[in-house]
Amino acid sequence: MSGIPNTRIRTALFAVPLVAVAALGTAAAPAGATTSPTARPLTCRGEGVDPHAPVRYRTETVIHAPLRSIWKLQTDVERWPYWQDAVTTMKRLDHGPFRAGSAFRWTTPVPPNPTTPATSLEITSTVEQLRHHSCIRWTGPALGEGLRIDGVHVWNFTRGKGGVRVSTEETHTGAEVEADVPTATKLLRQGLEAWLRDLKTAAESPTHNRPH
C-alpha cells in the first residue's frame, strides 16, 4: 500500500476512523452499553449499513435524558467539538434544518506512534436517510495520507421506560482497514463506544437534561 509500509503505521492511521473519539486505546464502553452482533442490521427508512463490508460493529446504550435533547446534540453537528474532544474542526456544508441531503466536513486526530507523527483524517459525511427523533443514516469517506476509508453509519433512537435507547452500527471498507480486519474492527468498536459515552455524558448533564 503506497505510503503505508507496515501494519503498525496502518493501524495508527485508521485508529480514529469515522467516529469522534480521543485516546481510543483507553476508551471504555458507556454505562449500560451492550452489543448485538447477531441482531438484524439497523436501518433508517429501510436502508442499513454495507452488507458486504468486512469491518462492522454495532452497540447501544440507554441515555436518561429527553429524546429531544439527545437528538439536538447528535444533529447540531457544528457543536460536536464542544462535547467530543476528538472533533477538531467541523463545517456544515448546507443550511437550514438537518435533513436528508445535509452534509458536513470534519476532522479528527490520529495519535502519534513510534513510526509516524500525529496526523488527522478529513471526513465528509452526507445524510442519506433521516426520520425525525427516530433514525439517521449517513455515508462518506475519511481521507488521510495514503488512506481512504468508506463508511456507512446508522443511528436509531427509541423511547423506553428506562430512558432513550440509542443504537448505532457502522461498516468500513477500504484497502487499509481490510488488510487487518480484526484490528480495524476492534478500533471501530472502541470508537463507537466512546461516541456513545460522550453523547450520554453530554445529554445527561444538567444543562441538557431539564424540561423545556
Side-chain angles (χ1 to χ4, degrees):
M1 179 183 60
S2 176
I4 305 179
N6 57 48
T7 300
R8 174 178 288 179
I9 298 177
R10 285 201 307 270
T11 300
L13 284 173
F14 63 72
V16 196
L18 305 190
V19 293
V21 54
L24 280 178
T26 60
T34 60
T35 58
S36 304
T38 61
R40 295 180 60 185
L42 298 178
T43 62
C44 185
R45 294 190 177 275
E47 298 294 331
V49 293
D50 183 346
H52 306 296
V55 179
R56 66 179 57 236
Y57 191 72
R58 173 176 173 175
T59 187
E60 59 187 28
T61 194
V62 173
I63 299 178
H64 303 285
L67 175 55
R68 61 182 174 274
S69 297
I70 300 167
W71 183 262
K72 175 68 172 177
L73 282 165
Q74 188 73 335
T75 59
D76 189 1
V77 296
E78 290 178 302
R79 295 191 62 81
W80 281 4
Y82 292 95
W83 57 273
Q84 298 194 68
D85 289 340
V87 179
T88 52
T89 68
M90 167 64 75
K91 182 179 181 181
R92 177 85 181 265
L93 302 180
D94 66 315
H95 302 284
F98 193 75
R99 62 195 183 278
S102 289
F104 47 100
R105 182 173 296 122
W106 47 297
T107 57
T108 189
V110 176
N113 67 82
T115 56
T116 62
T119 186
S120 64
L121 294 178
E122 182 179 82
I123 305 162
T124 302
S125 301
T126 301
V127 178
E128 306 290 350
Q129 286 81 28
L130 181 146
R131 180 176 287 116
H132 187 66
H133 283 182
S134 177
C135 66
I136 312 168
R137 177 180 177 269
W138 63 62
T139 65
L143 303 176
E145 184 177 355
L147 169 69
R148 179 186 176 107
I149 302 170
D150 288 292
V152 182
H153 201 166
V154 180
W155 293 84
N156 283 185
F157 304 82
T158 308
R159 286 190 179 96
K161 292 182 178 179
V164 176
R165 183 169 298 278
V166 180
S167 306
T168 185
E169 184 170 21
E170 186 169 3
T171 54
H172 289 172
T173 58
E176 292 75 43
V177 294
E178 291 175 31
D180 188 350
V181 171
T183 298
T185 303
K186 176 183 177 181
L187 294 169
L188 176 59
R189 171 181 61 80
Q190 292 174 327
L192 291 180
E193 289 173 352
W195 194 326
L196 284 183
R197 179 197 64 207
D198 290 345
L199 180 61
K200 180 179 176 71
T201 298
E204 292 180 352
S205 71
T207 300
H208 293 282
N209 192 15
R210 64 163 62 122
H212 298 286

mmCIF file of all heavy atoms in Angstrom, residues 120-160:
data_model
loop_
_atom_site.group_PDB
_atom_site.id
_atom_site.type_symbol
_atom_site.label_atom_id
_atom_site.label_comp_id
_atom_site.label_asym_id
_atom_site.label_seq_id
_atom_site.Cartn_x
_atom_site.Cartn_y
_atom_site.Cartn_z
ATOM 1 N N SER A 120 -4.148 13.684 10.858
ATOM 2 C CA SER A 120 -5.594 13.782 11.047
ATOM 3 C C SER A 120 -6.307 13.216 9.839
ATOM 4 O O SER A 120 -5.731 13.077 8.757
ATOM 5 C CB SER A 120 -6.024 15.238 11.282
ATOM 6 O OG SER A 120 -5.757 16.018 10.126
ATOM 7 N N LEU A 121 -7.553 12.877 10.039
ATOM 8 C CA LEU A 121 -8.428 12.430 8.967
ATOM 9 C C LEU A 121 -9.449 13.515 8.678
ATOM 10 O O LEU A 121 -9.982 14.127 9.598
ATOM 11 C CB LEU A 121 -9.165 11.144 9.370
ATOM 12 C CG LEU A 121 -8.341 9.889 9.582
ATOM 13 C CD1 LEU A 121 -9.245 8.748 10.030
ATOM 14 C CD2 LEU A 121 -7.606 9.501 8.312
ATOM 15 N N GLU A 122 -9.725 13.727 7.399
ATOM 16 C CA GLU A 122 -10.794 14.628 6.996
ATOM 17 C C GLU A 122 -11.960 13.782 6.503
ATOM 18 O O GLU A 122 -11.806 12.969 5.590
ATOM 19 C CB GLU A 122 -10.335 15.567 5.885
ATOM 20 C CG GLU A 122 -11.419 16.559 5.471
ATOM 21 C CD GLU A 122 -10.959 17.507 4.388
ATOM 22 O OE1 GLU A 122 -10.995 17.102 3.206
ATOM 23 O OE2 GLU A 122 -10.554 18.639 4.727
ATOM 24 N N ILE A 123 -13.113 13.985 7.098
ATOM 25 C CA ILE A 123 -14.284 13.158 6.836
ATOM 26 C C ILE A 123 -15.384 14.035 6.253
ATOM 27 O O ILE A 123 -15.697 15.088 6.816
ATOM 28 C CB ILE A 123 -14.777 12.478 8.130
ATOM 29 C CG1 ILE A 123 -13.638 11.691 8.787
ATOM 30 C CG2 ILE A 123 -15.981 11.581 7.860
ATOM 31 C CD1 ILE A 123 -13.864 11.360 10.232
ATOM 32 N N THR A 124 -15.958 13.603 5.155
ATOM 33 C CA THR A 124 -17.104 14.299 4.577
ATOM 34 C C THR A 124 -18.301 13.370 4.657
ATOM 35 O O THR A 124 -18.338 12.335 3.996
ATOM 36 C CB THR A 124 -16.842 14.701 3.113
ATOM 37 O OG1 THR A 124 -15.675 15.525 3.058
ATOM 38 C CG2 THR A 124 -18.031 15.479 2.557
ATOM 39 N N SER A 125 -19.265 13.725 5.493
ATOM 40 C CA SER A 125 -20.437 12.889 5.749
ATOM 41 C C SER A 125 -21.661 13.490 5.074
ATOM 42 O O SER A 125 -21.881 14.703 5.145
ATOM 43 C CB SER A 125 -20.688 12.766 7.251
ATOM 44 O OG SER A 125 -19.580 12.212 7.919
ATOM 45 N N THR A 126 -22.453 12.622 4.443
ATOM 46 C CA THR A 126 -23.691 13.047 3.790
ATOM 47 C C THR A 126 -24.850 12.240 4.358
ATOM 48 O O THR A 126 -24.796 11.009 4.381
ATOM 49 C CB THR A 126 -23.622 12.845 2.271
ATOM 50 O OG1 THR A 126 -22.516 13.596 1.745
ATOM 51 C CG2 THR A 126 -24.913 13.308 1.598
ATOM 52 N N VAL A 127 -25.882 12.937 4.826
ATOM 53 C CA VAL A 127 -27.059 12.261 5.363
ATOM 54 C C VAL A 127 -27.867 11.709 4.191
ATOM 55 O O VAL A 127 -28.324 12.450 3.332
ATOM 56 C CB VAL A 127 -27.920 13.232 6.196
ATOM 57 C CG1 VAL A 127 -29.173 12.519 6.706
ATOM 58 C CG2 VAL A 127 -27.107 13.805 7.355
ATOM 59 N N GLU A 128 -28.042 10.401 4.183
ATOM 60 C CA GLU A 128 -28.789 9.752 3.101
ATOM 61 C C GLU A 128 -30.254 9.547 3.476
ATOM 62 O O GLU A 128 -31.146 9.715 2.643
ATOM 63 C CB GLU A 128 -28.153 8.396 2.768
ATOM 64 C CG GLU A 128 -26.672 8.456 2.441
ATOM 65 C CD GLU A 128 -26.372 9.128 1.116
ATOM 66 O OE1 GLU A 128 -27.332 9.390 0.350
ATOM 67 O OE2 GLU A 128 -25.186 9.402 0.846
ATOM 68 N N GLN A 129 -30.499 9.155 4.734
ATOM 69 C CA GLN A 129 -31.863 8.959 5.223
ATOM 70 C C GLN A 129 -31.969 9.550 6.625
ATOM 71 O O GLN A 129 -30.996 9.519 7.399
ATOM 72 C CB GLN A 129 -32.254 7.474 5.282
ATOM 73 C CG GLN A 129 -32.521 6.821 3.949
ATOM 74 C CD GLN A 129 -31.252 6.413 3.232
ATOM 75 O OE1 GLN A 129 -30.233 6.128 3.867
ATOM 76 N NE2 GLN A 129 -31.292 6.348 1.907
ATOM 77 N N LEU A 130 -33.156 10.043 6.957
ATOM 78 C CA LEU A 130 -33.398 10.596 8.287
ATOM 79 C C LEU A 130 -34.892 10.552 8.579
ATOM 80 O O LEU A 130 -35.714 10.837 7.697
ATOM 81 C CB LEU A 130 -32.878 12.031 8.371
ATOM 82 C CG LEU A 130 -33.036 12.774 9.713
ATOM 83 C CD1 LEU A 130 -31.859 13.720 9.937
ATOM 84 C CD2 LEU A 130 -34.348 13.575 9.737
ATOM 85 N N ARG A 131 -35.227 10.170 9.802
ATOM 86 C CA ARG A 131 -36.592 10.279 10.308
ATOM 87 C C ARG A 131 -36.501 10.988 11.655
ATOM 88 O O ARG A 131 -35.808 10.524 12.555
ATOM 89 C CB ARG A 131 -37.261 8.906 10.450
ATOM 90 C CG ARG A 131 -38.699 8.996 10.989
ATOM 91 C CD ARG A 131 -39.399 7.645 11.033
ATOM 92 N NE ARG A 131 -39.762 7.182 9.715
ATOM 93 C CZ ARG A 131 -39.266 6.089 9.128
ATOM 94 N NH1 ARG A 131 -38.368 5.359 9.763
ATOM 95 N NH2 ARG A 131 -39.654 5.740 7.929
ATOM 96 N N HIS A 132 -37.192 12.115 11.779
ATOM 97 C CA HIS A 132 -37.059 12.984 12.946
ATOM 98 C C HIS A 132 -37.289 12.221 14.248
ATOM 99 O O HIS A 132 -38.282 11.496 14.405
ATOM 100 C CB HIS A 132 -38.070 14.128 12.838
ATOM 101 C CG HIS A 132 -37.913 15.182 13.884
ATOM 102 N ND1 HIS A 132 -36.805 16.004 13.957
ATOM 103 C CD2 HIS A 132 -38.716 15.543 14.916
ATOM 104 C CE1 HIS A 132 -36.942 16.823 14.981
ATOM 105 N NE2 HIS A 132 -38.093 16.574 15.586
ATOM 106 N N HIS A 133 -36.336 12.371 15.176
ATOM 107 C CA HIS A 133 -36.402 11.741 16.503
ATOM 108 C C HIS A 133 -36.423 10.213 16.421
ATOM 109 O O HIS A 133 -36.814 9.551 17.387
ATOM 110 C CB HIS A 133 -37.620 12.229 17.298
ATOM 111 C CG HIS A 133 -37.435 13.594 17.874
ATOM 112 N ND1 HIS A 133 -38.392 14.203 18.652
ATOM 113 C CD2 HIS A 133 -36.401 14.481 17.798
ATOM 114 C CE1 HIS A 133 -37.963 15.394 19.024
ATOM 115 N NE2 HIS A 133 -36.757 15.591 18.516
ATOM 116 N N SER A 134 -35.997 9.645 15.304
ATOM 117 C CA SER A 134 -36.061 8.196 15.151
ATOM 118 C C SER A 134 -34.764 7.587 14.616
ATOM 119 O O SER A 134 -34.231 6.647 15.208
ATOM 120 C CB SER A 134 -37.219 7.811 14.227
ATOM 121 O OG SER A 134 -37.257 6.421 14.011
ATOM 122 N N CYS A 135 -34.247 8.106 13.502
ATOM 123 C CA CYS A 135 -33.075 7.470 12.922
ATOM 124 C C CYS A 135 -32.338 8.414 11.979
ATOM 125 O O CYS A 135 -32.909 9.381 11.456
ATOM 126 C CB CYS A 135 -33.458 6.192 12.169
ATOM 127 S SG CYS A 135 -34.492 6.470 10.703
ATOM 128 N N ILE A 136 -31.055 8.118 11.781
ATOM 129 C CA ILE A 136 -30.203 8.830 10.833
ATOM 130 C C ILE A 136 -29.287 7.803 10.172
ATOM 131 O O ILE A 136 -28.802 6.869 10.826
ATOM 132 C CB ILE A 136 -29.317 9.889 11.513
ATOM 133 C CG1 ILE A 136 -30.105 10.772 12.481
ATOM 134 C CG2 ILE A 136 -28.587 10.743 10.472
ATOM 135 C CD1 ILE A 136 -29.220 11.632 13.377
ATOM 136 N N ARG A 137 -29.052 7.995 8.896
ATOM 137 C CA ARG A 137 -28.052 7.183 8.183
ATOM 138 C C ARG A 137 -27.223 8.128 7.328
ATOM 139 O O ARG A 137 -27.767 8.875 6.522
ATOM 140 C CB ARG A 137 -28.728 6.129 7.306
ATOM 141 C CG ARG A 137 -27.757 5.289 6.462
ATOM 142 C CD ARG A 137 -28.518 4.275 5.625
ATOM 143 N NE ARG A 137 -27.654 3.495 4.763
ATOM 144 C CZ ARG A 137 -27.332 3.827 3.504
ATOM 145 N NH1 ARG A 137 -27.809 4.949 2.974
ATOM 146 N NH2 ARG A 137 -26.537 3.061 2.791
ATOM 147 N N TRP A 138 -25.904 8.110 7.546
ATOM 148 C CA TRP A 138 -25.029 8.915 6.702
ATOM 149 C C TRP A 138 -23.894 8.063 6.156
ATOM 150 O O TRP A 138 -23.575 6.990 6.682
ATOM 151 C CB TRP A 138 -24.505 10.150 7.423
ATOM 152 C CG TRP A 138 -23.624 9.959 8.626
ATOM 153 C CD1 TRP A 138 -22.408 9.356 8.685
ATOM 154 C CD2 TRP A 138 -23.889 10.439 9.955
ATOM 155 N NE1 TRP A 138 -21.892 9.410 9.948
ATOM 156 C CE2 TRP A 138 -22.767 10.087 10.750
ATOM 157 C CE3 TRP A 138 -24.933 11.155 10.536
ATOM 158 C CZ2 TRP A 138 -22.687 10.397 12.105
ATOM 159 C CZ3 TRP A 138 -24.846 11.471 11.888
ATOM 160 C CH2 TRP A 138 -23.742 11.094 12.653
ATOM 161 N N THR A 139 -23.307 8.540 5.079
ATOM 162 C CA THR A 139 -22.202 7.845 4.434
ATOM 163 C C THR A 139 -21.102 8.848 4.148
ATOM 164 O O THR A 139 -21.315 10.058 4.234
ATOM 165 C CB THR A 139 -22.641 7.194 3.108
ATOM 166 O OG1 THR A 139 -23.019 8.240 2.185
ATOM 167 C CG2 THR A 139 -23.816 6.259 3.311
ATOM 168 N N GLY A 140 -19.928 8.337 3.808
ATOM 169 C CA GLY A 140 -18.881 9.258 3.410
ATOM 170 C C GLY A 140 -17.487 8.707 3.618
ATOM 171 O O GLY A 140 -17.276 7.770 4.395
ATOM 172 N N PRO A 141 -16.530 9.310 2.929
ATOM 173 C CA PRO A 141 -15.139 8.868 3.044
ATOM 174 C C PRO A 141 -14.380 9.600 4.142
ATOM 175 O O PRO A 141 -14.665 10.760 4.458
ATOM 176 C CB PRO A 141 -14.569 9.245 1.677
ATOM 177 C CG PRO A 141 -15.316 10.499 1.308
ATOM 178 C CD PRO A 141 -16.715 10.310 1.863
ATOM 179 N N ALA A 142 -13.405 8.920 4.720
ATOM 180 C CA ALA A 142 -12.412 9.522 5.610
ATOM 181 C C ALA A 142 -11.077 9.432 4.885
ATOM 182 O O ALA A 142 -10.660 8.352 4.468
ATOM 183 C CB ALA A 142 -12.350 8.782 6.936
ATOM 184 N N LEU A 143 -10.430 10.576 4.727
ATOM 185 C CA LEU A 143 -9.198 10.636 3.945
ATOM 186 C C LEU A 143 -8.036 11.090 4.807
ATOM 187 O O LEU A 143 -8.142 12.064 5.554
ATOM 188 C CB LEU A 143 -9.362 11.600 2.768
ATOM 189 C CG LEU A 143 -10.517 11.298 1.807
ATOM 190 C CD1 LEU A 143 -10.606 12.385 0.750
ATOM 191 C CD2 LEU A 143 -10.351 9.930 1.168
ATOM 192 N N GLY A 144 -6.938 10.363 4.698
ATOM 193 C CA GLY A 144 -5.697 10.732 5.352
ATOM 194 C C GLY A 144 -4.559 10.459 4.390
ATOM 195 O O GLY A 144 -4.781 10.006 3.263
ATOM 196 N N GLU A 145 -3.347 10.715 4.821
ATOM 197 C CA GLU A 145 -2.204 10.484 3.943
ATOM 198 C C GLU A 145 -2.075 8.993 3.629
ATOM 199 O O GLU A 145 -1.853 8.174 4.508
ATOM 200 C CB GLU A 145 -0.918 11.000 4.605
ATOM 201 C CG GLU A 145 0.302 10.888 3.706
ATOM 202 C CD GLU A 145 1.541 11.482 4.355
ATOM 203 O OE1 GLU A 145 1.416 12.063 5.451
ATOM 204 O OE2 GLU A 145 2.617 11.344 3.770
ATOM 205 N N GLY A 146 -2.255 8.631 2.365
ATOM 206 C CA GLY A 146 -2.160 7.239 1.954
ATOM 207 C C GLY A 146 -3.285 6.369 2.449
ATOM 208 O O GLY A 146 -3.141 5.152 2.533
ATOM 209 N N LEU A 147 -4.433 6.961 2.759
ATOM 210 C CA LEU A 147 -5.515 6.211 3.392
ATOM 211 C C LEU A 147 -6.868 6.699 2.922
ATOM 212 O O LEU A 147 -7.100 7.899 2.774
ATOM 213 C CB LEU A 147 -5.428 6.396 4.918
ATOM 214 C CG LEU A 147 -6.615 5.919 5.764
ATOM 215 C CD1 LEU A 147 -6.701 4.400 5.734
ATOM 216 C CD2 LEU A 147 -6.482 6.422 7.190
ATOM 217 N N ARG A 148 -7.775 5.758 2.668
ATOM 218 C CA ARG A 148 -9.172 6.078 2.431
ATOM 219 C C ARG A 148 -10.030 5.013 3.094
ATOM 220 O O ARG A 148 -9.807 3.810 2.903
ATOM 221 C CB ARG A 148 -9.498 6.137 0.938
ATOM 222 C CG ARG A 148 -10.995 6.447 0.684
ATOM 223 C CD ARG A 148 -11.351 6.371 -0.787
ATOM 224 N NE ARG A 148 -12.785 6.577 -0.966
ATOM 225 C CZ ARG A 148 -13.338 7.670 -1.468
ATOM 226 N NH1 ARG A 148 -12.572 8.680 -1.865
ATOM 227 N NH2 ARG A 148 -14.653 7.764 -1.594
ATOM 228 N N ILE A 149 -11.004 5.462 3.886
ATOM 229 C CA ILE A 149 -11.986 4.566 4.487
ATOM 230 C C ILE A 149 -13.361 5.037 4.040
ATOM 231 O O ILE A 149 -13.681 6.218 4.163
ATOM 232 C CB ILE A 149 -11.931 4.596 6.030
ATOM 233 C CG1 ILE A 149 -10.541 4.222 6.537
ATOM 234 C CG2 ILE A 149 -12.970 3.645 6.619
ATOM 235 C CD1 ILE A 149 -10.363 4.470 8.034
ATOM 236 N N ASP A 150 -14.176 4.137 3.503
ATOM 237 C CA ASP A 150 -15.550 4.460 3.143
ATOM 238 C C ASP A 150 -16.468 3.853 4.192
ATOM 239 O O ASP A 150 -16.446 2.639 4.423
ATOM 240 C CB ASP A 150 -15.883 3.924 1.750
ATOM 241 C CG ASP A 150 -15.184 4.736 0.671
ATOM 242 O OD1 ASP A 150 -15.550 5.911 0.500
ATOM 243 O OD2 ASP A 150 -14.276 4.200 0.014
ATOM 244 N N GLY A 151 -17.258 4.701 4.824
ATOM 245 C CA GLY A 151 -18.094 4.247 5.922
ATOM 246 C C GLY A 151 -19.571 4.469 5.687
ATOM 247 O O GLY A 151 -19.974 5.368 4.943
ATOM 248 N N VAL A 152 -20.374 3.632 6.330
ATOM 249 C CA VAL A 152 -21.824 3.794 6.391
ATOM 250 C C VAL A 152 -22.200 3.701 7.860
ATOM 251 O O VAL A 152 -21.841 2.732 8.536
ATOM 252 C CB VAL A 152 -22.572 2.719 5.587
ATOM 253 C CG1 VAL A 152 -24.083 2.976 5.638
ATOM 254 C CG2 VAL A 152 -22.081 2.672 4.139
ATOM 255 N N HIS A 153 -22.930 4.708 8.358
ATOM 256 C CA HIS A 153 -23.198 4.805 9.786
ATOM 257 C C HIS A 153 -24.696 5.022 9.999
ATOM 258 O O HIS A 153 -25.272 5.947 9.434
ATOM 259 C CB HIS A 153 -22.398 5.967 10.377
ATOM 260 C CG HIS A 153 -22.188 5.875 11.845
ATOM 261 N ND1 HIS A 153 -21.271 6.652 12.522
ATOM 262 C CD2 HIS A 153 -22.772 5.097 12.792
ATOM 263 C CE1 HIS A 153 -21.312 6.354 13.809
ATOM 264 N NE2 HIS A 153 -22.217 5.412 13.994
ATOM 265 N N VAL A 154 -25.297 4.167 10.830
ATOM 266 C CA VAL A 154 -26.733 4.233 11.109
ATOM 267 C C VAL A 154 -26.936 4.435 12.608
ATOM 268 O O VAL A 154 -26.269 3.792 13.431
ATOM 269 C CB VAL A 154 -27.456 2.949 10.652
ATOM 270 C CG1 VAL A 154 -28.948 3.036 10.961
ATOM 271 C CG2 VAL A 154 -27.241 2.716 9.162
ATOM 272 N N TRP A 155 -27.881 5.328 12.931
ATOM 273 C CA TRP A 155 -28.263 5.587 14.317
ATOM 274 C C TRP A 155 -29.760 5.381 14.475
ATOM 275 O O TRP A 155 -30.532 5.839 13.637
ATOM 276 C CB TRP A 155 -27.936 7.035 14.706
ATOM 277 C CG TRP A 155 -26.474 7.351 14.751
ATOM 278 C CD1 TRP A 155 -25.674 7.705 13.696
ATOM 279 C CD2 TRP A 155 -25.632 7.353 15.910
ATOM 280 N NE1 TRP A 155 -24.397 7.920 14.124
ATOM 281 C CE2 TRP A 155 -24.343 7.719 15.478
ATOM 282 C CE3 TRP A 155 -25.862 7.098 17.261
ATOM 283 C CZ2 TRP A 155 -23.265 7.822 16.363
ATOM 284 C CZ3 TRP A 155 -24.797 7.200 18.134
ATOM 285 C CH2 TRP A 155 -23.513 7.555 17.679
ATOM 286 N N ASN A 156 -30.170 4.700 15.546
ATOM 287 C CA ASN A 156 -31.579 4.561 15.904
ATOM 288 C C ASN A 156 -31.794 5.102 17.311
ATOM 289 O O ASN A 156 -30.977 4.875 18.210
ATOM 290 C CB ASN A 156 -32.025 3.101 15.867
ATOM 291 C CG ASN A 156 -32.257 2.550 14.467
ATOM 292 O OD1 ASN A 156 -32.696 1.417 14.318
ATOM 293 N ND2 ASN A 156 -31.957 3.320 13.431
ATOM 294 N N PHE A 157 -32.930 5.793 17.529
ATOM 295 C CA PHE A 157 -33.284 6.381 18.820
ATOM 296 C C PHE A 157 -34.677 5.881 19.182
ATOM 297 O O PHE A 157 -35.638 6.117 18.443
ATOM 298 C CB PHE A 157 -33.275 7.909 18.728
ATOM 299 C CG PHE A 157 -31.968 8.481 18.246
ATOM 300 C CD1 PHE A 157 -31.685 8.531 16.885
ATOM 301 C CD2 PHE A 157 -31.026 8.958 19.136
ATOM 302 C CE1 PHE A 157 -30.480 9.060 16.423
ATOM 303 C CE2 PHE A 157 -29.820 9.484 18.687
ATOM 304 C CZ PHE A 157 -29.550 9.529 17.328
ATOM 305 N N THR A 158 -34.801 5.185 20.333
ATOM 306 C CA THR A 158 -36.058 4.564 20.713
ATOM 307 C C THR A 158 -36.400 4.898 22.157
ATOM 308 O O THR A 158 -35.624 4.594 23.079
ATOM 309 C CB THR A 158 -35.982 3.027 20.560
ATOM 310 O OG1 THR A 158 -35.504 2.698 19.244
ATOM 311 C CG2 THR A 158 -37.343 2.397 20.785
ATOM 312 N N ARG A 159 -37.563 5.510 22.379
ATOM 313 C CA ARG A 159 -38.006 5.792 23.747
ATOM 314 C C ARG A 159 -38.373 4.495 24.458
ATOM 315 O O ARG A 159 -38.939 3.578 23.866
ATOM 316 C CB ARG A 159 -39.230 6.705 23.739
ATOM 317 C CG ARG A 159 -38.953 8.161 23.400
ATOM 318 C CD ARG A 159 -40.201 8.987 23.675
ATOM 319 N NE ARG A 159 -40.023 10.412 23.396
ATOM 320 C CZ ARG A 159 -40.375 11.004 22.276
ATOM 321 N NH1 ARG A 159 -40.919 10.285 21.301
ATOM 322 N NH2 ARG A 159 -40.198 12.301 22.119
ATOM 323 N N GLY A 160 -38.067 4.434 25.752
ATOM 324 C CA GLY A 160 -38.428 3.281 26.560
ATOM 325 C C GLY A 160 -38.668 3.707 27.985
ATOM 326 O O GLY A 160 -38.475 4.878 28.354
#
